[in-house]
Amino acid sequence: MEGIRTRDFSLKYTFESAQPLSFYADFEGNEITFPYGHSMVSLKLEGDSKSGIFYIKGVRGDTKFGVAEAKRIFRLKDDMGKIYKSIASDPFMAEATQRYVGMRLTFNDPWITTLSFLVSQFNNIKRIRLIIKRLMDRFGSEIVYDGKVIGKSFPEAQSLASASIQDIWKCGAGFRSEYIKTTAEYCTNNINLHDLMGKNYEKLKEALLEMRGVGDKVADCIALMGYGKLEAFPIDTWIKRTVENIYFNKRKKTIKEIHKFAEERWDGLAGYAQQYLYWHGMHYLR
DNA sequence: ACCCAGGCGGGCG
DNA sequence: CGCCCGCATGGG
């Protein structure tokens, strides 16, 4: 089985840090298993976060998954040394990047990202995971290998578009159920999310904001993790709290002011700064 | 029991 | 534009 040499790659932090993978993958013993299209993929990292080898352990099902896909999903071409040098310009970020060395942003399918962050709003990580798992169980399709059902795929937009709000509700999605159905319909009938891939960040965000249940924060999450726009800076309660505490001496700031601050400070790498700020800030301020 | 969570839409001034 | 409110639900 071929392996990928890695530097500054922590599968654990990348998995855990509240990105779409954390919502539908399983992680144990430096091994991650998740549905990719109509395959179940399992990958394993040997070594440590400083230097390791990343193996594709198994791809069971009809969808191809190889080294190129692994590199893309985990953004293994990003030079973390350079990124750290650029974003860790103060003690807090220096500590964040040292403590969580190897935490990567992930590059996810736009629809997976959209559904994941629709569920995430006004919610907590554990429950996001619970709801996504239920949606997969109820609306995903069976992944069959060697005549056996070995898992469920991430639910397609069409599947949720044709579901009733009540059935989505039963998965625990609550008031988000209507957002999910409406946006699933929109993505099935009105646009193809993949067609937005060529747009620049501003145009992309504008288009994403058209979707029901997608506001400023969720649009930035989709731009960052579904389209790889590293200048996107999603501002949730923890980012707001952390930025106010660390950079503004606990003074309240508006979302607009925080966007301006992030753009000036981290520019094209604001998204990476945000991921470290979020994860470190959440543990630090709790 | 009470409080909160990777926010958003709607209604108001 | 800004502000305020309600929103389901499971875990601490």
Side-chain angles (χ1 to χ4, degrees):
Chain A
M1 194 86 341
E2 57 186 321
I4 306 164
R5 292 170 172 281
T6 60
R7 298 182 66 78
D8 296 328
F9 175 48
S10 163
L11 188 56
K12 176 181 159 64
Y13 292 144
T14 303
F15 165 76
E16 285 177 347
S17 57
Q19 300 189 237
L21 277 174
S22 3
F23 305 146
Y24 68 94
D26 290 311
F27 179 78
E28 205 183 341
N30 231 11
E31 194 171 326
I32 189 165
T33 303
F34 57 93
Y36 181 82
H38 293 281
S39 292
M40 288 301 291
V41 173
S42 45
L43 309 172
K44 180 171 189 167
L45 182 67
E46 285 182 0
D48 57 36
S49 57
K50 275 287 171 198
S51 168
I53 302 179
F54 198 32
Y55 289 100
I56 299 174
K57 272 198 68 181
V59 181
R60 297 179 297 158
D62 303 327
T63 307
K64 175 190 180 299
F65 185 96
V67 168
E69 284 77 11
K71 283 185 177 172
R72 185 170 52 83
I73 288 182
F74 293 95
R75 301 194 61 106
L76 294 176
K77 283 181 287 183
D78 290 349
D79 183 341
M80 299 312 291
K82 264 188 193 168
I83 291 170
Y84 293 153
K85 200 168 181 182
S86 170
I87 65 175
S89 49
D90 60 80
F92 190 80
M93 282 298 289
E95 192 184 331
T97 52
Q98 280 163 31
R99 188 178 294 248
Y100 300 108
V101 167
M103 183 169 68
R104 303 253 173 176
L105 282 168
T106 56
F107 202 155
N108 307 270
D109 171 79
W111 163 251
I112 291 180
T113 314
T114 299
L115 179 58
S116 294
F117 285 102
L118 276 181
V119 172
S120 81
Q121 63 177 78
F122 196 46
N123 214 338
N124 60 60
I125 295 170
K126 192 160 277 184
R127 224 173 72 83
I128 296 164
R129 198 179 158 80
L130 179 68
I131 295 167
I132 296 280
K133 291 278 188 192
R134 286 174 180 162
L135 289 171
M136 288 168 71
D137 198 46
R138 174 68 182 77
F139 298 105
S141 53
E142 293 181 340
I143 296 173
V144 180
Y145 181 73
D146 210 13
K148 287 183 301 185
V149 177
I150 57 169
K152 284 292 188 76
S153 68
F154 195 91
E156 303 280 347
Q158 301 92 293
S159 172
L160 286 160
S162 57
S164 69
I165 291 180
Q166 199 175 21
D167 281 346
I168 298 172
W169 200 286
K170 281 179 190 160
C171 296
F175 65 90
R176 305 165 195 82
S177 305
E178 185 265 328
Y179 302 163
I180 293 170
K181 179 170 168 61
T182 306
T183 289
E185 285 173 338
Y186 184 71
C187 291
T188 303
N189 305 320
N190 302 81
I191 58 161
N192 179 351
L193 289 178
H194 292 282
D195 291 344
L196 303 179
M197 206 59 83
K199 289 187 182 293
N200 66 27
Y201 168 63
E202 286 192 358
K203 291 288 182 188
L204 173 65
K205 190 167 174 183
E206 198 177 304
L208 295 174
L209 286 169
E210 292 299 311
M211 298 194 286
R212 176 81 178 160
V214 175
D216 182 75
K217 189 269 179 184
V218 170
D220 273 329
C221 281
I222 302 169
L224 182 59
M225 298 173 210
Y227 292 87
K229 299 297 186 189
L230 296 184
E231 64 267 56
F233 189 83
I235 302 172
D236 71 322
T237 51
W238 288 107
I239 288 290
K240 184 168 185 298
R241 219 172 285 173
T242 305
V243 169
E244 286 168 349
N245 264 272
I246 306 298
Y247 300 104
F248 290 100
N249 197 217
K250 301 183 181 177
R251 296 206 323 278
K252 293 292 175 195
K253 290 288 157 187
T254 64
I255 300 293
K256 205 171 172 180
E257 288 171 319
I258 296 175
H259 273 306
K260 182 167 180 283
F261 169 78
E263 187 182 348
E264 286 171 354
R265 194 178 186 85
W266 295 299
D267 193 33
L269 290 174
Y272 257 112
Q274 176 274 164
Q275 193 63 19
Y276 281 86
L277 206 53
Y278 165 71
W279 202 238
H280 185 42
M282 190 176 76
H283 292 92
Y284 180 82
L285 293 176
R286 178 163 280 173

